[in-house]
Amino acid sequence: MKIEDIKKVLILGAGTMGQQIGLQCAMYGYAVVFYDLSQEILDKALRRIAKLGSWYVSSGRLTEENLRHTLSRISATPDPEKAAEDVDLISESVSEDPELKGKVFARFHKLCPERTIFTTNTSMLVPSMFAEATGRPEKLVAFHFHDLRANNIADVMPHPGTAPEVTKLVHDFAVSIGQIVILLHRENSGYVFNTMLSSLFTSALTLASRNVASIEDIDRSWMGVMHTPMGPFGIMDQVGISTVWIITDYWAKKTGDAQAQANADFLKQYVEKGHLGFKTNQGFYCYPNPAYTLQDFLSGAEKERK
């Protein structure tokens, strides 16, 4: 299969990242179908996609006409057989659980055409963890996106069994939807940027879980020295605290690292309260006006008012 043969993309998982990926593909002319467990989930996702598209229009990224054409290319169904019809490429964004990813791909292996390429948007896992379970390991490659609202960096990471022509095809597809491709030569948990970012998260969580400093002061330290608009806990709110917890807890249990488990338990407190970050308007900070955006946050003056 060549890049010009790719016409239809299936998004497995209609969460925030799946929504962004699907919209991006549709913006560049691909037919996109979303699959998730219920029509209710999909209807909610379609509303959020339309809202994101409207924001793109207001920021000059799309015209109203472009948006209408883009949204017309998007459909959704909770029926796996219907979702798999005539699909050329899958982008999977389900939970960070290798067993679950393997099961989902195995199901669609039976339903999709033989030509269909499987890609995973996993953040911290590597595709060899579930490659064999997919049923077509030679057609599986990690194709990882960051926040598409803010950047266009995408990672393409094959596993040892990925066919070279599949890696090349996914690379070319990434370019076709406006991405700057970071091509990894070997599997690496966390790719390139996330490897660096996870070290920052780990350090920040360790400081907080050991009560070395407050969440605000940890962020204030990073923001003040690096001149960034938010610190590690603000970033975790944007990523989603449940996502950070799932990844942290998975590796803590896999390695048996006591401090990593303490960090996971620290995050779990927020998850159990439903304080998942930006998407729930409550995480380490309250939204839509988090404290780190206040003019006097860096000076610490806001602490005096508490």
Side-chain angles (χ1 to χ4, degrees), residues 8-29:
K8 186 175 181 181
V9 178
L10 169 59
I11 307 295
L12 297 180
T16 300
M17 278 311 304
Q19 293 163 27
Q20 291 186 24
I21 295 166
L23 180 60
Q24 187 75 15
C25 293
M27 283 167 56
Y28 281 83

PDB file of all heavy atoms in Angstrom, residues 8-29:
ATOM      1  N   LYS A   8      -9.254   6.103   4.315  1.00  0.00           N
ATOM      2  CA  LYS A   8     -10.141   6.062   5.482  1.00  0.00           C
ATOM      3  C   LYS A   8      -9.362   5.667   6.731  1.00  0.00           C
ATOM      4  O   LYS A   8      -8.589   4.701   6.729  1.00  0.00           O
ATOM      5  CB  LYS A   8     -11.272   5.065   5.246  1.00  0.00           C
ATOM      6  CG  LYS A   8     -12.343   5.046   6.337  1.00  0.00           C
ATOM      7  CD  LYS A   8     -13.482   4.102   5.952  1.00  0.00           C
ATOM      8  CE  LYS A   8     -14.584   4.085   6.998  1.00  0.00           C
ATOM      9  NZ  LYS A   8     -15.680   3.158   6.630  1.00  0.00           N
ATOM     10  N   VAL A   9      -9.582   6.428   7.801  1.00  0.00           N
ATOM     11  CA  VAL A   9      -8.884   6.224   9.078  1.00  0.00           C
ATOM     12  C   VAL A   9      -9.902   5.896  10.163  1.00  0.00           C
ATOM     13  O   VAL A   9     -10.936   6.571  10.278  1.00  0.00           O
ATOM     14  CB  VAL A   9      -8.086   7.492   9.475  1.00  0.00           C
ATOM     15  CG1 VAL A   9      -7.408   7.294  10.829  1.00  0.00           C
ATOM     16  CG2 VAL A   9      -7.058   7.834   8.400  1.00  0.00           C
ATOM     17  N   LEU A  10      -9.613   4.878  10.942  1.00  0.00           N
ATOM     18  CA  LEU A  10     -10.459   4.501  12.077  1.00  0.00           C
ATOM     19  C   LEU A  10      -9.781   4.912  13.366  1.00  0.00           C
ATOM     20  O   LEU A  10      -8.621   4.566  13.607  1.00  0.00           O
ATOM     21  CB  LEU A  10     -10.701   2.990  12.078  1.00  0.00           C
ATOM     22  CG  LEU A  10     -11.358   2.370  13.322  1.00  0.00           C
ATOM     23  CD1 LEU A  10     -12.724   2.984  13.593  1.00  0.00           C
ATOM     24  CD2 LEU A  10     -11.464   0.849  13.164  1.00  0.00           C
ATOM     25  N   ILE A  11     -10.500   5.650  14.200  1.00  0.00           N
ATOM     26  CA  ILE A  11      -9.996   6.074  15.506  1.00  0.00           C
ATOM     27  C   ILE A  11     -10.619   5.174  16.572  1.00  0.00           C
ATOM     28  O   ILE A  11     -11.831   5.171  16.765  1.00  0.00           O
ATOM     29  CB  ILE A  11     -10.345   7.545  15.811  1.00  0.00           C
ATOM     30  CG1 ILE A  11      -9.898   8.468  14.671  1.00  0.00           C
ATOM     31  CG2 ILE A  11      -9.718   7.963  17.143  1.00  0.00           C
ATOM     32  CD1 ILE A  11      -8.412   8.553  14.458  1.00  0.00           C
ATOM     33  N   LEU A  12      -9.792   4.392  17.246  1.00  0.00           N
ATOM     34  CA  LEU A  12     -10.256   3.532  18.334  1.00  0.00           C
ATOM     35  C   LEU A  12     -10.070   4.272  19.649  1.00  0.00           C
ATOM     36  O   LEU A  12      -8.954   4.469  20.113  1.00  0.00           O
ATOM     37  CB  LEU A  12      -9.462   2.223  18.355  1.00  0.00           C
ATOM     38  CG  LEU A  12      -9.592   1.310  17.134  1.00  0.00           C
ATOM     39  CD1 LEU A  12      -8.751   0.051  17.318  1.00  0.00           C
ATOM     40  CD2 LEU A  12     -11.053   0.942  16.876  1.00  0.00           C
ATOM     41  N   GLY A  13     -11.188   4.698  20.241  1.00  0.00           N
ATOM     42  CA  GLY A  13     -11.132   5.456  21.486  1.00  0.00           C
ATOM     43  C   GLY A  13     -11.422   6.914  21.213  1.00  0.00           C
ATOM     44  O   GLY A  13     -10.604   7.613  20.597  1.00  0.00           O
ATOM     45  N   ALA A  14     -12.584   7.385  21.663  1.00  0.00           N
ATOM     46  CA  ALA A  14     -13.024   8.749  21.348  1.00  0.00           C
ATOM     47  C   ALA A  14     -12.757   9.723  22.480  1.00  0.00           C
ATOM     48  O   ALA A  14     -13.501  10.675  22.684  1.00  0.00           O
ATOM     49  CB  ALA A  14     -14.509   8.739  20.998  1.00  0.00           C
ATOM     50  N   GLY A  15     -11.669   9.495  23.222  1.00  0.00           N
ATOM     51  CA  GLY A  15     -11.269  10.434  24.270  1.00  0.00           C
ATOM     52  C   GLY A  15     -10.630  11.670  23.663  1.00  0.00           C
ATOM     53  O   GLY A  15     -10.634  11.874  22.444  1.00  0.00           O
ATOM     54  N   THR A  16     -10.036  12.489  24.521  1.00  0.00           N
ATOM     55  CA  THR A  16      -9.484  13.778  24.075  1.00  0.00           C
ATOM     56  C   THR A  16      -8.463  13.626  22.960  1.00  0.00           C
ATOM     57  O   THR A  16      -8.523  14.318  21.940  1.00  0.00           O
ATOM     58  CB  THR A  16      -8.845  14.511  25.271  1.00  0.00           C
ATOM     59  OG1 THR A  16      -9.845  14.732  26.270  1.00  0.00           O
ATOM     60  CG2 THR A  16      -8.283  15.851  24.837  1.00  0.00           C
ATOM     61  N   MET A  17      -7.499  12.712  23.124  1.00  0.00           N
ATOM     62  CA  MET A  17      -6.479  12.559  22.090  1.00  0.00           C
ATOM     63  C   MET A  17      -7.064  11.973  20.818  1.00  0.00           C
ATOM     64  O   MET A  17      -6.716  12.395  19.713  1.00  0.00           O
ATOM     65  CB  MET A  17      -5.326  11.697  22.593  1.00  0.00           C
ATOM     66  CG  MET A  17      -4.306  12.445  23.427  1.00  0.00           C
ATOM     67  SD  MET A  17      -3.723  14.010  22.697  1.00  0.00           S
ATOM     68  CE  MET A  17      -3.115  13.489  21.095  1.00  0.00           C
ATOM     69  N   GLY A  18      -7.950  11.001  20.957  1.00  0.00           N
ATOM     70  CA  GLY A  18      -8.593  10.441  19.779  1.00  0.00           C
ATOM     71  C   GLY A  18      -9.347  11.511  19.004  1.00  0.00           C
ATOM     72  O   GLY A  18      -9.310  11.546  17.764  1.00  0.00           O
ATOM     73  N   GLN A  19     -10.029  12.396  19.730  1.00  0.00           N
ATOM     74  CA  GLN A  19     -10.771  13.484  19.087  1.00  0.00           C
ATOM     75  C   GLN A  19      -9.831  14.387  18.292  1.00  0.00           C
ATOM     76  O   GLN A  19     -10.111  14.747  17.144  1.00  0.00           O
ATOM     77  CB  GLN A  19     -11.501  14.313  20.146  1.00  0.00           C
ATOM     78  CG  GLN A  19     -12.614  13.581  20.871  1.00  0.00           C
ATOM     79  CD  GLN A  19     -13.030  14.275  22.153  1.00  0.00           C
ATOM     80  OE1 GLN A  19     -12.886  15.492  22.288  1.00  0.00           O
ATOM     81  NE2 GLN A  19     -13.543  13.509  23.106  1.00  0.00           N
ATOM     82  N   GLN A  20      -8.713  14.741  18.905  1.00  0.00           N
ATOM     83  CA  GLN A  20      -7.758  15.622  18.235  1.00  0.00           C
ATOM     84  C   GLN A  20      -7.169  14.957  16.993  1.00  0.00           C
ATOM     85  O   GLN A  20      -7.024  15.589  15.938  1.00  0.00           O
ATOM     86  CB  GLN A  20      -6.636  16.014  19.199  1.00  0.00           C
ATOM     87  CG  GLN A  20      -7.057  16.931  20.315  1.00  0.00           C
ATOM     88  CD  GLN A  20      -5.875  17.390  21.154  1.00  0.00           C
ATOM     89  OE1 GLN A  20      -4.739  17.416  20.703  1.00  0.00           O
ATOM     90  NE2 GLN A  20      -6.131  17.750  22.401  1.00  0.00           N
ATOM     91  N   ILE A  21      -6.807  13.673  17.114  1.00  0.00           N
ATOM     92  CA  ILE A  21      -6.210  12.947  15.993  1.00  0.00           C
ATOM     93  C   ILE A  21      -7.202  12.820  14.847  1.00  0.00           C
ATOM     94  O   ILE A  21      -6.871  13.059  13.678  1.00  0.00           O
ATOM     95  CB  ILE A  21      -5.723  11.558  16.448  1.00  0.00           C
ATOM     96  CG1 ILE A  21      -4.586  11.690  17.475  1.00  0.00           C
ATOM     97  CG2 ILE A  21      -5.245  10.731  15.246  1.00  0.00           C
ATOM     98  CD1 ILE A  21      -4.278  10.399  18.215  1.00  0.00           C
ATOM     99  N   GLY A  22      -8.443  12.455  15.181  1.00  0.00           N
ATOM    100  CA  GLY A  22      -9.463  12.310  14.149  1.00  0.00           C
ATOM    101  C   GLY A  22      -9.728  13.616  13.415  1.00  0.00           C
ATOM    102  O   GLY A  22      -9.847  13.636  12.181  1.00  0.00           O
ATOM    103  N   LEU A  23      -9.822  14.706  14.167  1.00  0.00           N
ATOM    104  CA  LEU A  23     -10.054  16.012  13.551  1.00  0.00           C
ATOM    105  C   LEU A  23      -8.885  16.382  12.643  1.00  0.00           C
ATOM    106  O   LEU A  23      -9.086  16.899  11.533  1.00  0.00           O
ATOM    107  CB  LEU A  23     -10.258  17.070  14.630  1.00  0.00           C
ATOM    108  CG  LEU A  23     -10.508  18.503  14.133  1.00  0.00           C
ATOM    109  CD1 LEU A  23     -11.765  18.571  13.260  1.00  0.00           C
ATOM    110  CD2 LEU A  23     -10.640  19.465  15.313  1.00  0.00           C
ATOM    111  N   GLN A  24      -7.670  16.112  13.100  1.00  0.00           N
ATOM    112  CA  GLN A  24      -6.487  16.427  12.298  1.00  0.00           C
ATOM    113  C   GLN A  24      -6.505  15.671  10.967  1.00  0.00           C
ATOM    114  O   GLN A  24      -6.223  16.244   9.908  1.00  0.00           O
ATOM    115  CB  GLN A  24      -5.219  16.066  13.084  1.00  0.00           C
ATOM    116  CG  GLN A  24      -3.916  16.489  12.424  1.00  0.00           C
ATOM    117  CD  GLN A  24      -3.651  17.979  12.530  1.00  0.00           C
ATOM    118  OE1 GLN A  24      -4.283  18.677  13.330  1.00  0.00           O
ATOM    119  NE2 GLN A  24      -2.730  18.483  11.729  1.00  0.00           N
ATOM    120  N   CYS A  25      -6.839  14.402  11.012  1.00  0.00           N
ATOM    121  CA  CYS A  25      -6.900  13.598   9.787  1.00  0.00           C
ATOM    122  C   CYS A  25      -7.979  14.118   8.841  1.00  0.00           C
ATOM    123  O   CYS A  25      -7.763  14.232   7.628  1.00  0.00           O
ATOM    124  CB  CYS A  25      -7.169  12.135  10.125  1.00  0.00           C
ATOM    125  SG  CYS A  25      -5.829  11.309  11.022  1.00  0.00           S
ATOM    126  N   ALA A  26      -9.137  14.457   9.403  1.00  0.00           N
ATOM    127  CA  ALA A  26     -10.235  14.968   8.576  1.00  0.00           C
ATOM    128  C   ALA A  26      -9.896  16.324   7.969  1.00  0.00           C
ATOM    129  O   ALA A  26     -10.282  16.622   6.828  1.00  0.00           O
ATOM    130  CB  ALA A  26     -11.512  15.063   9.413  1.00  0.00           C
ATOM    131  N   MET A  27      -9.156  17.149   8.707  1.00  0.00           N
ATOM    132  CA  MET A  27      -8.740  18.450   8.199  1.00  0.00           C
ATOM    133  C   MET A  27      -7.904  18.311   6.935  1.00  0.00           C
ATOM    134  O   MET A  27      -7.913  19.193   6.065  1.00  0.00           O
ATOM    135  CB  MET A  27      -7.939  19.197   9.269  1.00  0.00           C
ATOM    136  CG  MET A  27      -8.766  19.808  10.379  1.00  0.00           C
ATOM    137  SD  MET A  27      -7.757  20.358  11.791  1.00  0.00           S
ATOM    138  CE  MET A  27      -6.595  21.476  11.019  1.00  0.00           C
ATOM    139  N   TYR A  28      -7.178  17.218   6.834  1.00  0.00           N
ATOM    140  CA  TYR A  28      -6.293  17.012   5.689  1.00  0.00           C
ATOM    141  C   TYR A  28      -6.911  16.087   4.638  1.00  0.00           C
ATOM    142  O   TYR A  28      -6.198  15.532   3.805  1.00  0.00           O
ATOM    143  CB  TYR A  28      -4.942  16.492   6.160  1.00  0.00           C
ATOM    144  CG  TYR A  28      -4.069  17.611   6.701  1.00  0.00           C
ATOM    145  CD1 TYR A  28      -4.219  18.065   8.014  1.00  0.00           C
ATOM    146  CD2 TYR A  28      -3.125  18.233   5.901  1.00  0.00           C
ATOM    147  CE1 TYR A  28      -3.441  19.103   8.504  1.00  0.00           C
ATOM    148  CE2 TYR A  28      -2.340  19.274   6.384  1.00  0.00           C
ATOM    149  CZ  TYR A  28      -2.503  19.702   7.679  1.00  0.00           C
ATOM    150  OH  TYR A  28      -1.729  20.746   8.159  1.00  0.00           O
ATOM    151  N   GLY A  29      -8.217  15.927   4.675  1.00  0.00           N
ATOM    152  CA  GLY A  29      -8.929  15.276   3.587  1.00  0.00           C
ATOM    153  C   GLY A  29      -9.246  13.806   3.751  1.00  0.00           C
ATOM    154  O   GLY A  29      -9.847  13.203   2.853  1.00  0.00           O
TER     155      GLY A  29
END
